[in-house]
C-alpha cells in the first residue's frame, strides 16, 4: 500500500532532508523509525530537499507500507521519532503516486522578526529596521513576470533548467513579524533564501527596483544579494492533483 505522509520538522539538528553518509538527516531518521515500527525495510522519498537548518511545517513523503497506517500506528511511529520530527497524517494514494514528480506546487514561508526576541531564536531571522515593505512587495511582484531564476540558484549544482513558474510572492507584516510567502511549481537550490536576501537590499534602499530586474536578467548568482539564514525558512505546503489520492 502506498501512502503519502504529511510531516513537519525543525531542521536545526539535521544536515538537511536528504540522506548523506556520515551525517544525520531528516530522511535518514524518519526511514529508520518507519522501518523499525513497520518491521520491514522502508524507503521514503520526499517532495523536495530542504537544506541544513531549514524547517518544514508540511513536507510530503511517499512510501510503500506492508501495514495499514492508521492513527494508532502514527502515534507509535511518532513515539519512536525525536521530538523535532512529527508525522501529522497519512493518506492512501495510487500505487504509482510520486511525492516529487506528482507535485503541482510547493510553498515556502520566510519569517523575520523586527525586534530581538529570545523565543524566535532558531526560528526566525532578526533583521533590524528601518525597512520599506512596500518596495519589497514591488520587487516580489516583479518575480511573477519572469521564469529564469538562475541568478538566485546555488552554483555548481547538477541543474540545467533554471525556469520556475511563480504563482504568488508577497510580503506581509503582523506586529513585529515579517513574512515572505512564495509559491511555485518548483524551486532551485537556495532560491528562496537568495530572493529574501536580495529583496532585503531593496527594502533597505540599497538596491533599486531596476537593479533587481537587472539581476534577474543577468542570470548570474554573483549579482544577487547574500543568502538569508536557513533557520527562518519553512516548507509550508505541497499541492497534488486530487486523482493521486485513493478515496476509501
Amino acid at each position: 500500500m502506498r501512502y503519502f505522509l504529511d510531516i513537519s520538522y525543525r531542521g536545526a539538528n539535521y544536515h538537511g532532508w536528504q540522506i548523506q553518509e556520515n551525517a544525520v538527516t531528516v530522511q535518514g531518521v524518519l526511514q529508520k523509525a518507519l522501518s523499525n515500527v513497520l518491521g520491514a525495510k522502508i524507503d521514503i522519498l520526499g517532495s523536495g530537499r530542504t537544506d541544513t537548518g531549514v524547517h518544514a511545517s508540511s513536507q510530503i513523503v511517499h512510501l510503500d507500507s506492508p501495514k495499514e497506517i492508521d492513527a494508532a500506528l502514527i502515534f507509535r511511529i511518532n513515539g519512536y521519532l525525536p521530538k523535532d520530527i512529527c508525522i501529522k497524517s497519512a493518506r492512501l494514494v495510487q500505487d504509482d503516486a510520486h511525492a516529487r514528480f506528482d507535485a503541482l506546487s510547493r510553498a515556502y514561508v520566510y519569517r523575520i522578526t523586527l525586534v530581538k526576541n529570545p523565543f524566535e531564536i532558531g526560528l526566525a531571522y532578526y533583521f533590524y529596521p528601518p525597512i520599506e515593505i512596500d518596495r519589497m512587495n514591488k520587487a516580489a511582484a516583479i518575480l511573477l513576470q519572469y521564469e529564469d531564476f538562475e541568478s538566485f540558484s546555488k552554483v555548481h549544482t547538477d541543474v540545467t533548467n533554471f525556469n520556475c513558474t511563480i504563482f504568488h510572492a508577497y510580503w506581509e507584516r503582523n506586529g513585529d513579524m515579517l513574512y515572505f510567502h512564495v509559491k511555485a511549481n518548483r524551486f532551485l537550490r537556495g532560491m528562496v533564501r537568495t530572493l529574501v536576501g536580495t529583496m532585503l537590499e531593496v527594502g533597505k534602499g540599497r538596491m533599486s527596483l531596476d537593479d533587481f530586474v537587472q539581476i534577474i536578467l543577468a542570470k548570474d548568482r554573483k549579482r544577487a544579494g547574500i543568502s538569508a539564514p536557513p533557520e527562518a525558512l519553512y516548507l509550508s505546503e505541497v499541492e497534488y492533483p486530487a486523482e493521486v489520492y485513493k478515496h476509501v
Side-chain angles (χ1 to χ4, degrees), residues 10 55 110-127 174 176-179 229-234:
R10 290 180 62 165
H55 315 294
Y110 196 90
R111 304 174 74 249
I112 292 176
T113 177
L114 300 174
V115 297
K116 186 176 181 180
N117 184 344
F119 297 103
E120 292 290 351
I121 294 173
L123 300 174
Y125 176 29
Y126 173 38
F127 192 86
N174 184 359
D176 293 323
M177 294 298 297
L178 182 62
Y179 304 92
E231 68 270 13
L233 181 60
Y234 298 72

Side-chain angles (χ1 to χ4, degrees), residues 1 5 9-10 18 30 34 40 43 45 56 73 80 87 104 107-108 131 147 156 158 204 218 236 245:
M1 294 176 286
L5 302 184
Y9 52 86
R10 290 180 62 165
Q18 190 169 6
L30 183 57
L34 288 164
D43 293 316
L45 192 142
L73 191 57
Y80 194 93
I87 299 174
L104 298 175
Y108 283 88
I131 190 169
E147 290 188 341
H156 308 306
D158 55 0
K204 293 206 75 171
S236 59
Y245 299 103

Side-chain angles (χ1 to χ4, degrees), residues 91-248:
R91 290 188 67 177
L92 268 174
V93 294
Q94 304 298 333
D95 293 342
D96 60 350
H98 198 286
R100 179 183 174 190
F101 297 136
D102 285 336
L104 298 175
S105 66
R106 297 151 177 88
Y108 283 88
V109 177
Y110 196 90
R111 304 174 74 249
I112 292 176
T113 177
L114 300 174
V115 297
K116 186 176 181 180
N117 184 344
F119 297 103
E120 292 290 351
I121 294 173
L123 300 174
Y125 176 29
Y126 173 38
F127 192 86
Y128 186 75
I131 190 169
E132 295 186 44
I133 299 171
D134 287 346
R135 283 173 53 84
M136 291 162 63
N137 263 323
K138 288 177 181 177
I142 289 170
L143 297 174
L144 276 65
Q145 303 173 30
Y146 296 91
E147 290 188 341
D148 191 321
F149 294 99
E150 184 173 357
S151 289
F152 304 98
S153 173
K154 285 186 176 180
V155 297
H156 308 306
T157 68
D158 55 0
V159 174
T160 58
N161 175 14
F162 298 94
N163 287 357
C164 308
T165 301
I166 296 182
F167 302 122
H168 70 230
Y170 62 93
W171 293 86
E172 67 168 350
R173 181 169 181 172
N174 184 359
D176 293 323
M177 294 298 297
L178 182 62
Y179 304 92
F180 175 57
H181 301 269
V182 61
K183 181 177 181 179
N185 66 327
R186 64 189 287 258
F187 289 91
L188 307 172
R189 293 287 306 278
M191 176 176 165
V192 179
R193 290 166 54 202
T194 308
L195 283 171
V196 169
T198 307
M199 283 187 282
L200 286 172
E201 293 295 298
V202 174
K204 293 206 75 171
R206 295 174 178 169
M207 180 185 296
S208 70
L209 292 172
D210 184 62
D211 291 337
F212 187 71
V213 171
Q214 293 307 312
I215 288 171
I216 297 173
L217 296 175
K219 303 179 185 180
D220 181 358
R221 176 63 185 88
K222 299 186 187 71
R223 296 282 299 275
I226 63 169
S227 180
E231 68 270 13
L233 181 60
Y234 298 72
L235 175 61
S236 59
E237 181 188 38
V238 188
E239 185 180 8
Y240 295 91
E243 55 265 25
V244 304
Y245 299 103
K246 285 186 177 179
H247 302 285
V248 294

Side-chain angles (χ1 to χ4, degrees), residues 5 7-38 40 42-45 61 63 76-87:
L5 302 184
I7 69 169
S8 59
Y9 52 86
R10 290 180 62 165
N13 294 324
Y14 303 97
H15 291 268
W17 162 261
Q18 190 169 6
I19 286 179
Q20 304 175 43
E21 286 189 31
N22 304 315
V24 179
T25 68
V26 179
Q27 184 183 18
V29 171
L30 183 57
Q31 261 186 197
K32 182 179 179 181
L34 288 164
S35 297
N36 276 280
V37 175
L38 294 173
I42 300 296
D43 293 316
I44 61 174
L45 192 142
V61 305
L63 75 154
R76 284 183 58 202
I77 300 167
N78 278 332
Y80 194 93
L81 287 167
K83 294 180 180 180
D84 50 9
I85 302 177
C86 173
I87 299 174

